[in-house]
Structures are given as C-alpha cells and as structure tokens.
Amino acid sequence: MKSKLIKITSLLIALTVLLCCLTACGQKKPEEEEITKKPVDIEAPPTENLVDFDEYTLPEDEPSTDPEEEPSSSAESSTGTTAPAPSTTKAPNNGTNPTTSAPTTTQGYRTPTTSEMKSLLKAAGYIYDEEQDIYYTDKYSWQRHFGFSGIYDEGASYLNMEYVTFKCDFTYNGKYWRIQCWKGQYALLCGAEMGVYTKDIDSSLSEDFYACANDDNLLEMGFDFYKTTKDYNNRNRLFYRPLEFHWWQTGFKFGYCNPTNCVAVMTLRAKDTAMADGIEKGLQNVTNKNGRLNPFYEYGTKASQGKANLYQRSGNEFKIIWVNAGYTNYSGNMA
C-alpha cells in the first residue's frame, strides 16, 4: 500500500512539472511581444492647431560668461540665455571629424576614441541606424532592469557625459511618475534621451529612485534633435527618433554640441486627460539644482513671450521645445 502511494505521488509530481514546463514554453519572451495597448482617450490633434508653434523662432542669445549670475527663472524672467559649454567637449581643430583629435580628460578620466566608443556602444546593446548614422536603445535593453536615480547623473560627469536634464514629476493612477529627459554631450557623441519611470505610492525605496516603466506604462514619444538654436530656426535637423511606445527613447550621433544650446523638440502623448493634466503641471514646475523654478511655459501665453522652453498641449498630446529648462549635471547653474 505504501509503495502504491509513493508511485501515485511521484506520478502527480511528474505531471505537475511537465505541465509547468509546457506553460512556460508557450509564453512569449518579452522581446517577442508586440506592444498593442493604446492610450485611451487619445485623438490625433488637428495639424492646424500646431502650425503657429511649429513656426516659432527661438532667441539665439550667446552663452553667458558666468552661469552663477543668471537670474532665477520665473513667469517674468526668460530662460533663453544659455550657460557656457563645458570645457571638456570642445570640438577638434578641424571642426568636423572627432577621430582626428587626441582624447581629452574630465575629472581624471580619458575620453575614449571613436573606435573605442563604437565598441562600447555595441557592447552596451545600442542599435545602429545606418540611414541616420545614429545609435539608439531597444525597448528591451538591459538598462531597463536597473531603474534610475539622481546619483546616475552625478556619476555621468566623471565619464565625460555632460548634459542638461529636467524632471517632470506627477501622480497618476496610484503611482508616482517621473518623465526625465537629457540632452548634450556624451563623450564623443551628442544627443538626447526621454525616459519614463514609476514608483508605488507606498514604496520603501529611496525618494529619488524610480523603476523603469513596464509594458503597461509605456508612453508614445519621440523627438527631433538640433545642434544649436540657429539650426532649429533654420530647421536644420541633425536626426530624429520616431513617435513610438517606449520607456527610454534615445538618439546619439558622433559630434559636438553645447548642452545648453542644442535643441530637442519632443512629442509626448499621455494615456488620458488625467495624466495629461499631471504632465502639464509637472512641466510648469520644473526646477534647477537649487529647487528654483526653471520651467516650461505654455506657448501663446503672455508669460511665454521670448522664452526658449515652451510646450503646447492639444488634447492629450504635448509638443515641447527644450533648450535649457532644468539644470546641468556639471558645475554651474543655468538659473
């Protein structure tokens, strides 16, 4: 009798294990899944509503000589004046080809050569777009497992990454949300990033640590990148990233730029009206390192006149022109 019970038990265990294996095999891996969920309540905004904004001309002020003397940003002050370019991102003597210049150093670290950068990008899983000659990240890149914290920005400057960044924080659907963007110099490359991060309201994690958005929280976003405000005014785009569902939309191209003068024109679609309201408030409350306002202004309002950092909302879609809202990850403040 005891022997029969053992045999029956063993058979049940074997069947259970087999069933689990078959179920696991039938599941798609994350990288094979198609993101089919669409944000609710979204309608493509009429093109005519954005015509005036598309024709906006940015002020082309020269970089200031002392960023610490710049006025605090507010509804009455302009963010059009830019801070000086970091000394570690000077273009090579011929002004065009970074491969001909000797590597520079920042904080004691040597800037990698072009061939070293290409190897690093490949090893880090970046995808190469041959048509535009740019590198970008896949939706399921390994970085997605590590979340994001402000300490990453502090460490980046030691690796010859000097950029402007801003955080758009809001609460939506029982979570804290953060849309953080970056643009500027990444060693031998210039480019920009748009990231989406979330955290549970009752999370015990550090206040500044967020998890990367999962598939349910991806947002539709993309951007155009211009090396200077003059390039933007002439609509001389360096490259673009298409509008798509993502958690970390990026684009990088070999070359040099002033982080506080290059321009990212970003498009972002919220899931619904409640989220769009949160994003709008977050854009209006962007701050610098010291917590003072250095925000985006709604295009067409009195406060937006002469400003460099603007947004226009059409339904649940935002179009954003970004020059120097937020703060730099290197020394000096913009506002």
Side-chain angles (χ1 to χ4, degrees), residues 41-58:
D41 295 337
I42 280 191
E43 294 182 4
T47 304
E48 58 267 21
N49 288 350
L50 301 178
V51 169
D52 290 341
F53 194 55
D54 288 341
E55 295 177 354
Y56 183 71
T57 300
L58 284 168

Side-chain angles (χ1 to χ4, degrees), residues 186-317:
Y186 300 78
L188 298 180
L189 302 103
C190 59
E193 314 166 68
M194 299 176 70
V196 182
Y197 308 90
T198 64
K199 180 166 58 177
D200 291 336
I201 297 292
D202 58 354
S203 173
S204 59
L205 295 173
S206 164
E207 181 181 349
D208 197 42
F209 183 86
Y210 283 71
C212 301
N214 60 26
D215 286 354
D216 291 330
N217 293 325
L218 301 180
L219 296 182
E220 205 169 3
M221 55 189 182
F223 64 86
D224 295 342
F225 184 82
Y226 302 83
K227 288 187 74 170
T228 66
T229 52
K230 183 176 181 180
D231 282 336
Y232 169 76
N233 289 337
N234 293 328
R235 300 307 189 262
N236 181 25
R237 183 177 68 184
L238 186 65
F239 67 85
Y240 73 95
R241 292 295 297 134
L243 194 64
E244 62 178 310
F245 286 97
H246 221 301
W247 71 273
W248 188 30
Q249 183 71 287
T250 67
F252 307 97
K253 188 180 181 76
F254 279 98
Y256 297 87
C257 69
N258 178 342
T260 59
N261 190 249
C262 60
V263 182
V265 180
M266 304 175 290
T267 301
L268 176 67
R269 288 181 175 173
K271 289 178 176 290
D272 54 32
T273 302
M275 175 180 273
D277 290 343
I279 291 174
E280 185 165 24
K281 289 179 181 178
L283 291 172
Q284 293 171 350
N285 287 289
V286 167
T287 64
N288 71 356
K289 284 179 183 176
N290 299 322
R292 292 183 294 177
L293 280 177
N294 189 17
F296 291 86
Y297 297 84
E298 183 180 5
Y299 177 70
T301 62
K302 184 177 180 180
S304 72
Q305 294 178 8
K307 300 303 193 304
N309 306 292
L310 304 167
Y311 75 88
Q312 184 177 66
R313 176 179 173 180
S314 181
N316 299 323
E317 178 174 291

Side-chain angles (χ1 to χ4, degrees), residues 142-163 165 167 178 180 182 186 193 197 208-212 247-248 327 329-330:
W142 59 269
Q143 293 93 333
R144 195 177 185 185
H145 300 289
F146 294 93
F148 197 85
S149 169
I151 196 171
Y152 297 178
D153 286 331
E154 294 176 17
S157 64
Y158 289 89
L159 301 175
N160 285 357
M161 298 181 187
E162 298 187 331
Y163 47 69
T165 184
K167 301 170 183 177
R178 170 168 289 174
Q180 184 164 355
W182 303 260
Y186 300 78
E193 314 166 68
Y197 308 90
D208 197 42
F209 183 86
Y210 283 71
C212 301
W247 71 273
W248 188 30
Y327 57 92
N329 75 322
Y330 52 91

